[in-house]
Amino acid sequence: MRKFIHLFIFFILTGASPILAQSISMSPTRLFFTGNPGEKVSQTVTLQNSSDKDYVFNLNYKDWVREEDGNKVYLEAGSSQTSNAAWVSTLENAITVPAKSTKEIVVTMQIPANASKSAVTNSMLFFTQLPQQADQARIQNGIGIITLFEVGLHIFYTPPGNHTKSLDITNISELSNNENATNKKVAVSIHNDGNTINDATVEFELTNTDSGKEIKLPAISISMLPNTNQVVQFSLPENISGNFLGVAIIKMAGSNDLRVGEKNFKF
């Protein structure tokens, strides 16, 4: 009798995605809690199933940290110093979202009585799709491959007294000094010196100081926890040459405050 190995492949979907839009969508994708130590607060997240099949999800928690390059690293719940995974609960540990319907999930945060009055904490609630009998395996080289989804919900807690939004440009530098390189990049180093989560867009413009020609690169969106660092990289046009003034501009969401940094470059 021929035996098959079933391989389950999970796609983590923590935001907008063409695949997600065809089947399951989540709103919102981030929950921001606040409250005093000892207080219990709740919010609702909605899953919408626009497909013709039922989806069953298991609920589980993870911690996560963002590395300086912007990459997100997932950790076991409770292992991060800024974890609030143990504070969060739902009424169900598994849910079914029937075809062509929506499902509301109440997410509750019990803020510990001894919670810090200054520290921002975070975690992730994952909705992990469970395989059903209707999920047919795609056979490849004797392995049955079933593609499943994990939908990630970001969960943040900010103490009521934390209102300071501030980002600081700590450095602007060229990543490649090779004159023959065609993939030159400029790195903008940023530090969140405020005490709350900060969503922002980072822009970078170059002006040729000889000709006056301006180059505006596509803006990059960031989201930073307090007291963290991130390096935002901008790819420069191929074969760029000459003397340039580079200007980095940070625009913080919900604020008219800007951060501007300048540096001269010779490419």
Side-chain angles (χ1 to χ4, degrees), residues 47-59:
L47 289 179
Q48 180 173 356
N49 181 1
S50 59
S51 73
D52 295 322
K53 60 175 285 187
D54 297 347
Y55 279 93
V56 181
F57 295 95
N58 178 55
L59 277 60

Side-chain angles (χ1 to χ4, degrees), residues 110-211:
Q110 175 63 66
I111 305 167
N114 62 348
S116 169
K117 295 183 179 180
S118 61
V120 174
T121 59
N122 66 296
S123 63
M124 181 81 77
L125 172 56
F126 276 112
F127 296 76
T128 305
Q129 182 187 350
L130 298 177
Q132 303 300 301
Q133 191 171 11
D135 294 318
Q136 298 296 320
R138 174 168 55 88
I139 305 300
Q140 188 176 85
N141 298 325
I143 299 177
I145 300 176
I146 299 177
T147 302
L148 302 173
F149 299 126
E150 279 195 327
V151 187
L153 174 68
H154 294 82
I155 297 175
F156 300 95
Y157 167 74
T158 304
N162 290 32
H163 302 293
T164 303
K165 281 193 169 186
S166 180
L167 295 175
D168 182 33
I169 298 175
T170 58
N171 191 42
I172 302 175
S173 62
E174 182 185 355
L175 291 184
S176 174
N177 293 320
N178 185 348
E179 295 181 0
N180 297 320
T182 59
N183 59 340
K184 293 180 183 293
K185 294 183 178 181
V186 166
V188 179
S189 300
I190 302 168
H191 176 69
N192 184 347
D193 56 349
N195 62 9
T196 189
I197 301 155
N198 207 326
D199 295 337
T201 55
V202 186
E203 301 177 357
F204 193 77
E205 302 175 358
L206 288 164
T207 302
N208 189 307
T209 55
D210 298 319
S211 67

Side-chain angles (χ1 to χ4, degrees), residues 71-89:
N71 183 50
K72 188 182 296 179
V73 177
Y74 296 101
L75 308 168
E76 289 299 317
S79 60
S80 169
Q81 291 183 347
T82 60
S83 175
N84 60 26
W87 307 0
V88 185
S89 64

Side-chain angles (χ1 to χ4, degrees), residues 30 32 66 165-169 188 190-193 196-204 218-225 230 232 234 248-260:
R30 300 189 298 176
F32 297 92
R66 196 182 299 279
K165 281 193 169 186
S166 180
L167 295 175
D168 182 33
I169 298 175
V188 179
I190 302 168
H191 176 69
N192 184 347
D193 56 349
T196 189
I197 301 155
N198 207 326
D199 295 337
T201 55
V202 186
E203 301 177 357
F204 193 77
I220 297 175
S221 297
I222 61 172
S223 181
M224 297 180 64
L225 290 166
Q230 189 165 336
V232 180
F234 291 88
I249 305 171
I250 298 178
K251 297 180 179 179
M252 291 177 279
S255 171
N256 294 323
D257 198 9
L258 300 177
R259 294 292 185 271
V260 180

